[in-house]
Amino acid sequence: MANTTVGGAKSIHGTNPQYLIEKVIRARIYDSPYWKEHCFALNSASLIDNAIGLEYIGGTYANQKPTEFMCLVLKLLQLQPEREIILEYLRAEEFKYLRALAAFYVRLTFDALNAYEVLEPLLEDYRKIRTRAMDGSYSLTTMDAFADALLHDERVCEIQLPRLTQRKVLEETEGLAARRSKLGRAMNVLGEADEDEEEEIEGRGRYLSRSPSGSRSPSPEPDADAKTPEYWTEGSEDESEEEGPATKAAKVIKETQGSQDGSEGGRYISRSPSPNRSDRFVSRSPSPGSPKGSAMDVDGP
């Protein structure tokens, strides 16, 4: 009969494969015109033509009519095709409703480990598919959202899905490889870029460091031909006996400015007294009434 499971079929989750769909929905499928007209005498090869012609997915609409998608799901449960045939359905990327049909069958019949391994690649399929709700209205979803619902929701298309073991438990017990999403890979790439940038900035900071202890890069050697500019300092008289033209000119300008400042504002250059003569000091600055260039002794208090 058309409503019986193929001979030699194996039990799925300890029961007849057809019983994975509730009895009420299964009875409505048996009575539907689409089941009687288009699902009779189908096999694994001829079912592909019907699956390609699907225009939406869903369970039932108008509270009693099953969708064509659900009729083909029940037919697959009756036929119980081999695993390789189902995987070939999933590899047909150009037919999205055929892939959705195969994904739903995988979720119903495969064990938890194989379900994760087979369905997770569908999370990278972002094509739009239509869904028909119970009130008969249509809505748009995507293939990755449908696959995510199969992996995490308890009911999809009004069908109670078999319980699925948590992924982290399978990773610890069954050796399931850890999944990394595209977002995680992108964040990892950004993190590596940030680390490289920080290392580059740190290296550039070490190169510009002027402290002898922190600098790891050799300092550039001065050019032998380049002339070092000479600057006048207070200790230059003691450091070198020979003075260049630039040094002499700077010294003259400094003395001239000091004399002018002393005559106008009363500023003077004081040399601190020695420890032995704390009561006297010699002022080198000319006073307004004294002759220019003469030194005078000032008694201390």
Side-chain angles (χ1 to χ4, degrees), residues 165-179:
T165 307
Q166 293 184 359
R167 198 182 198 286
K168 62 180 180 180
V169 176
L170 294 177
E171 292 177 2
E172 297 175 356
T173 58
E174 301 295 334
L176 180 63
R179 176 180 173 271

Side-chain angles (χ1 to χ4, degrees), residues 253-287:
I253 294 172
K254 184 68 175 180
E255 291 176 353
T256 304
Q257 291 178 353
S259 62
Q260 292 177 357
D261 294 340
S263 60
E264 296 176 1
R267 299 179 60 187
Y268 61 90
I269 301 174
S270 174
R271 302 215 176 162
S272 60
S274 60
N276 297 331
R277 300 183 60 186
S278 60
D279 56 341
R280 295 172 62 92
F281 67 91
V282 180
S283 175
R284 300 289 182 180
S285 63
S287 61

Side-chain angles (χ1 to χ4, degrees), residues 174-277:
E174 301 295 334
L176 180 63
R179 176 180 173 271
R180 294 184 62 188
S181 62
K182 283 188 174 182
L183 179 60
R185 291 194 295 267
M187 292 177 65
N188 190 17
V189 170
L190 292 178
E192 294 176 356
D194 292 341
E195 291 177 0
D196 295 339
E197 184 177 357
E198 290 178 359
E199 291 178 359
E200 182 180 356
I201 294 174
E202 184 181 357
R204 191 161 58 242
R206 287 197 300 264
Y207 179 76
L208 295 178
S209 176
R210 308 232 173 169
S211 59
S213 60
S215 177
R216 298 185 180 180
S217 60
S219 59
E221 297 180 357
D223 191 359
D225 299 335
K227 294 183 179 180
T228 305
E230 298 180 357
Y231 300 96
W232 181 87
T233 59
E234 294 182 356
S236 61
E237 297 178 357
D238 300 334
E239 292 176 357
S240 176
E241 297 180 356
E242 298 181 358
E243 297 178 348
T247 306
K248 292 180 180 180
K251 184 176 180 180
V252 171
I253 294 172
K254 184 68 175 180
E255 291 176 353
T256 304
Q257 291 178 353
S259 62
Q260 292 177 357
D261 294 340
S263 60
E264 296 176 1
R267 299 179 60 187
Y268 61 90
I269 301 174
S270 174
R271 302 215 176 162
S272 60
S274 60
N276 297 331
R277 300 183 60 186

Side-chain angles (χ1 to χ4, degrees), residues 138-158:
Y138 294 93
S139 62
L140 286 177
T141 186
T142 56
M143 183 65 71
D144 63 314
F146 179 66
D148 184 76
L150 291 175
L151 291 173
H152 298 94
D153 295 351
E154 295 183 357
R155 298 184 69 89
V156 177
C157 296
E158 305 172 34

Side-chain angles (χ1 to χ4, degrees), residues 65-84:
K65 296 181 180 179
T67 61
E68 300 173 0
F69 177 82
M70 193 53 58
C71 292
L72 294 180
V73 169
L74 182 59
K75 193 64 181 180
L76 276 178
L77 293 174
Q78 280 189 357
L79 296 175
Q80 200 179 43
E82 298 179 358
R83 175 188 174 91
E84 291 299 327

